[in-house]
Amino acid sequence: MKRILFNARQSEELRVAIVDGQRLFDLDIEFPNRNQKKGNIYRGIVRRVEPSLEAAFVDYGGTRHGFLPLKEVASSYLIAEGSEGNKSSIRGAFREGQEVTVQVEKEERGTKGAALTTHISLAGRYLVLMPYSPDAGGVSRKIEGDDRAELKEMLGQLQLPDGMGTIARTVAAERSLAELQWDLDHLVELWNAIDAASSGKPAPFLIYQENNVVARVIRDYFRDDIAEVLIDDPATYEEAHLLMQQLMPQSLPRLKLYDEKIPLFIRYQIEQQIETAHRREVPLRSGGALVIDHTEALTAVDINSARATQGSDIEETATNTNLEACDEIALQLRLRDLAGLIVIDFIDMMQSRNQRAVEDRLRDALKPDRARIQIGKLSRFGLLEMSRQRLRTSLKETSHITCPRCEGQGTIRSVESTALHVLRLLEEEAIKERTGRLAVQVPVAVATYLLNEKRDAVAELGSRLGVNPIILPNPALETPHYELERTRVQDMNKRLLDTPSHELPLMAVAVEGVAAPAAPVAAPPAVQRLIRSTPPPSSVQEPETAPVKSQLGVFTRVWRSLFGYQPVPAARSSGPAVRQAPARRGRTEATSARPDARRSSAPAARPHAPQAPAAARDGTAARDGQREPREGRTGRGRGRRGGQRGQGQGPGNSENRAPQNGADARPNPRRAREEGQAGSQNPEVAEDARPPQGVPAPTSGHGDTASGVVNAPVAPVQAAPVAVVAPVSVPALAPREVEREAVASTPVRPLAEAQTQAEVAAFVPKPVPTPQPAESGFTQVETGPGRSAPDHTVDTR
């Protein structure tokens, strides 16, 4: 999970970190006491034109004049020079004293002035507008494939003013044309305000100031993969909230104010990772290390194996260390914002496939970098050269100062070496003509070494050259610093000759770089930040609700595909509702209504079996549930006969077997069919299950009646009241009948709620009228259609 963290509790600096989990991905630090100039637009005056450099020096209001090369001059400034044809020069473009609108491309560095350009660019949320570059434009290099072609087509449909160009940013992928046009309209409005303000007063002056780090990070780095934006300062939170409300109001829930006691960066364990960006040596997890050294225009990165011993041989150890170093180098380049020429010294690898693997690993690690990068190949010496674009002021320039002791060299001379060097300088100065006096101020340690270990050499120098040097220990000095003073004969006076050495004044050392100087208060820009008047168009479309389809089983779908299916409208009954089986709680998968495979495949006109004795009929009633499916692990099971697919059920109980009334009960055609077959036992259910007069019985998919008899009009039969009968003793059942009795007690699973009434009516067979029960001590049971008389001697399974 990626997050953007803003740490603004300290007024001296504002830190922004992008983290992926607890791993630091990118870092940006802004110092409020320093005026950032990159991206600002100024109205300047050309002070000098240098044909030898093909550049002009422009006074834009900075400390030093800005440098404007010929390649950064827009075509509108260039003037053709007659016989030279298309060739243009800097003298033909500018003249001294001419006013020009420029934008700062690179900050001032050291003694170098800022790099300027007339190709002004205004960055928005999705697009970059270039008012003076009509031929410029395109799509971000990170967008590839179909998205790139689609975005190019959308750019051609934008309503862009004449003479301007536009570039689609990476975040513009998968955005609608309305969103791109909304962003373009705001940039055009901003440019019109800048163009109108450029002639308001005499140059040089600031026209437009680039956004601060809060606005830049939200505009450039906030994408769909950012889960949270945490800010620990209320003022910064309100600024970010206002900006996100204009650009992306739908993402406001991801903006949060962090107010816990634990510091934000310590909470996500990135404080130590930030400290690695300030070190010269960066350790690797495998035991190796990176050593990063800076020069004026080159950065050297050296990879050392150090304590890395994770490979089976030296080749594998070198390869693994180099692969790990590639990921760390890519991270350090982003954190420190190293730019210019970068040379990486990898550990030597003999096999070419390992060298190619390291090159590929480095390219993949540098893909998330927003800067333009060019990578070379590994040479035979193990060196790889690359260049990187500078996005902002580097961490070294903003947070570091040159060491006042080593002066940026990194090492200093020893006490012995410094003492010998001072001794040689005394001899060199004493040889010069008309030298009247020599006095040298050295650190205490160097003076102690000269006055003790080198006492004879100092005395011999004075006697040989006639000048006795004065050695003054200065506690304020540190090696290798010293101060040598030579006084000529004509400058000698009585005061110098009469002053003892311990009363001579010592040099005071100036403290350098204790605190950064406060930046001068800059004049407000002529054009303030514009607030977008219209909200962004919404690109989120409501998903269409798909119609709910009945959940049919596999067997039912195959049966319908083979024999066809014509839904039959449900028959309306004027009588009381059929009693429904109780719903089982905890079932998440509904049962599919489908015809009984065994019964529908039976002969249509199969004759009924003759009546059986009472005991046999009771046994038949006990075995009547043998066609019910049994418990299945996945909710579906096989029936006991014929390999039919059925719905799995749990163990039965007396409560589930008893019919219950309820408004929320669901219809169960199988239960209704069985209750219709045993109508003599429950005359109320048998009465309710009868079809009304004049309604034909539903037919199965292959033309037979669902009940297994021929289609013939059936006259309704009134059920006579049944008298209470005495208990009947039933003979003991065989083990096979006991098993059938257990299966028969399995409760019936209710139908799915999504099943329509028409589909239920198509497969619910109407009960066959049963004759009146006999007046005897036994209960008369009618065997169902397609079923033979029970036989206790033959295994019917």
Side-chain angles (χ1 to χ4, degrees), residues 422-533:
V422 170
L423 187 59
R424 296 187 185 99
L425 287 179
L426 290 175
E427 186 177 4
E428 180 181 356
E429 293 295 330
I431 296 175
K432 296 180 179 179
E433 296 181 357
R434 307 184 66 81
T435 299
R437 179 174 175 269
L438 288 176
V440 59
Q441 299 182 27
V442 293
V444 176
V446 177
T448 304
Y449 187 84
L450 289 174
L451 295 177
N452 292 279
E453 279 75 12
K454 292 297 178 180
R455 181 183 305 173
D456 297 339
V458 173
E460 190 271 336
L461 174 64
S463 61
R464 178 165 51 89
L465 299 178
V467 178
N468 292 324
I470 302 174
I471 300 176
L472 302 175
N474 190 346
L477 292 178
E478 294 180 343
T479 55
H481 298 289
Y482 58 89
E483 182 69 22
L484 178 62
E485 181 182 1
R486 172 177 174 264
T487 305
R488 294 180 295 179
V489 175
Q490 59 270 25
D491 297 332
M492 296 289 295
N493 53 37
K494 185 178 181 182
R495 184 180 62 84
L496 289 176
L497 296 176
D498 296 341
T499 303
S501 61
H502 67 276
E503 294 182 2
L504 293 176
L506 299 178
M507 180 186 64
V509 179
V511 180
E512 300 180 4
V514 175
V521 180
V527 177
Q528 301 294 334
R529 187 184 307 173
L530 299 182
I531 299 178
R532 299 181 185 242
S533 57

Side-chain angles (χ1 to χ4, degrees), residues 124-287:
R125 172 62 177 165
Y126 308 121
L127 301 174
V128 177
L129 180 65
M130 306 187 71
Y132 289 154
S133 306
D135 298 334
V139 182
S140 172
R141 57 187 174 86
K142 294 186 178 181
I143 301 178
E144 301 175 350
D146 297 338
D147 293 340
R148 187 178 187 87
E150 181 180 357
L151 197 54
K152 282 185 176 181
E153 182 179 356
M154 293 176 62
L155 290 180
Q157 302 175 8
L158 293 176
Q159 299 178 4
L160 185 66
D162 296 337
M164 298 186 182
T166 182
I167 300 175
R169 310 188 69 179
T170 306
V171 75
E174 300 181 359
R175 298 294 174 180
S176 63
L177 180 62
E179 290 178 289
L180 301 183
Q181 187 65 47
W182 167 78
D183 195 32
L184 178 61
D185 294 341
H186 171 73
L187 296 178
V188 172
E189 180 184 1
L190 177 61
W191 169 247
N192 292 335
I194 294 173
D195 192 20
S198 60
S199 57
K201 56 183 180 180
F205 64 93
L206 174 63
I207 302 177
Y208 175 75
Q209 187 173 10
E210 174 66 344
N211 298 323
N212 59 4
V213 65
V214 178
R216 291 198 312 270
V217 169
I218 294 179
R219 181 194 67 191
D220 300 340
Y221 290 95
F222 188 86
R223 300 179 183 176
D224 296 337
D225 58 345
I226 301 297
E228 289 179 335
V229 179
L230 302 178
I231 304 177
D232 60 2
D233 180 61
T236 308
Y237 172 81
E238 293 297 333
E239 181 182 357
H241 186 277
L242 179 61
L243 180 63
M244 291 188 66
Q245 193 172 11
Q246 299 178 21
L247 295 180
M248 51 201 89
Q250 72 280 0
S251 301
L252 278 176
R254 288 189 266 180
L255 179 65
K256 301 177 183 179
L257 178 63
Y258 183 84
D259 55 357
E260 298 182 9
K261 295 182 179 180
I262 303 176
L264 181 59
F265 281 18
I266 298 179
R267 168 68 175 79
Y268 289 96
Q269 301 180 10
I270 62 172
E271 199 68 61
Q272 295 298 328
Q273 301 180 47
I274 295 177
E275 288 301 317
T276 61
H278 298 277
R279 300 177 184 174
R280 176 176 177 266
E281 184 174 345
V282 181
L284 301 177
R285 295 182 180 180
S286 62

Side-chain angles (χ1 to χ4, degrees), residues 70-84:
L70 179 62
K71 64 178 181 179
E72 297 295 340
V73 178
S75 57
S76 58
Y77 290 96
L78 297 178
I79 302 174
E81 295 185 2
S83 60
E84 295 185 357

